[in-house]
Amino acid sequence: MEERLRALLVAPPGAGKGTQATAISEEFGVEHISTGDLFRAEVAAGTPLGAQVASYLDRGDLVPDDLVHRLVREKVSEAMGATGGYLLDGFPRTLAQAQVAHAAAVEQGVPAHAAVTFEVPRAVLVERLLERAQADGRTDDDEKTILHRLDVYDRETEPVVAFYEGLGVLIGIDADRPVGEVTASTIAALRAALDRA
Ligand code: AMP
């Protein structure tokens, strides 16, 4: 059977991960797994997991790794079963998450073909997030929480980018451009990574 895309998006809040993930997952016919969306759905549905994670989301802090791993493991294996590939959006967000996920994926013979990072200047990210706050009223989109989430990204998630660079699967995309251009560049780079697999 033809190999399906397995990829991760590692980028700061406001870089366009969600929008790009929708386009990429449609293009490659694989499931889009957004850990942020999954956690928000748990909170909205009032599940026990939702109750455990709500305060982290509201503060813009990361949910503890054990809760993240449980959810991701289940969703990735469902996605592999349903579509033979996956596009993870918002995971991994710490070096520990990346190491555990990589080890598990290698063990199961399904390591990611690529990790994509979207590069956007910080001032542009803040501007985009403030606009989004007005449009969809997420509880973590006020200015103080936005700045905190960007700091959390720099401290906790930036090292994940270097991890995938070390594995030789990193794709860096200039995402301070119109959405369609970013999508086209990303799809071309992922297509090339998949062809090399
Ligand atoms: P996002 O929609 O990707 O911006 O994620 C929203 C929030 O969900 C984050 O600020 C975290 O509180 C939580 N979250 C999402 N993904 C992860 C992850 N991989 N590790 C820890 N927390 C996460």
Side-chain angles (χ1 to χ4, degrees):
M1 203 179 84
E2 190 193 330
E3 179 111 334
R4 285 290 182 92
L5 181 71
R6 302 185 298 270
L8 319 154
L9 305 183
V10 184
K17 284 193 303 291
T19 306
Q20 296 300 335
T22 303
I24 297 163
S25 58
E26 275 173 19
E27 172 73 19
F28 289 91
V30 296
E31 201 140 319
H32 168 200
I33 304 170
S34 157
T35 45
D37 283 352
L38 290 170
F39 285 132
R40 279 186 289 277
E42 295 284 336
V43 173
T47 65
L49 177 61
Q52 278 178 291
V53 303
S55 64
Y56 294 97
L57 267 74
D58 280 348
R59 289 193 305 269
D61 284 329
L62 296 181
V63 170
D65 283 354
D66 57 329
L67 299 178
V68 179
H69 284 301
R70 213 179 311 158
L71 186 75
V72 170
R73 207 175 307 124
E74 186 186 309
K75 294 293 169 187
V76 167
S77 70
E78 273 173 28
M80 285 302 298
T83 62
Y86 57 81
L87 181 68
L88 273 162
D89 154 12
F91 175 91
R93 263 206 174 62
T94 64
L95 194 53
Q97 287 181 11
Q99 288 164 338
V100 169
H102 179 63
V106 167
E107 197 182 294
Q108 289 157 35
V110 290
H113 299 112
V116 178
T117 187
F118 295 123
E119 289 146 6
V120 181
R122 189 179 174 106
V124 177
L125 295 173
V126 173
E127 200 180 304
R128 287 186 186 174
L129 288 164
L130 287 171
E131 273 169 26
R132 183 169 83 187
Q134 288 191 333
D136 36 293
R138 266 172 59 162
T139 54
D140 57 358
D141 266 351
D142 65 89
E143 185 161 6
K144 186 167 151 268
T145 313
I146 285 170
L147 296 177
H148 178 63
R149 285 163 60 218
L150 290 170
D151 287 342
V152 169
Y153 179 83
D154 289 344
R155 194 174 61 241
E156 305 281 348
T157 311
E158 187 63 37
V160 172
V161 174
F163 175 80
Y164 287 106
E165 190 168 27
L167 292 178
V169 296
L170 184 70
I171 294 171
I173 299 285
D174 169 8
D176 188 13
R177 293 184 293 161
V179 173
E181 281 181 33
V182 176
T183 305
S185 300
T186 308
I187 287 174
L190 286 171
R191 180 79 60 207
L194 193 53
D195 286 348
R196 281 194 300 272

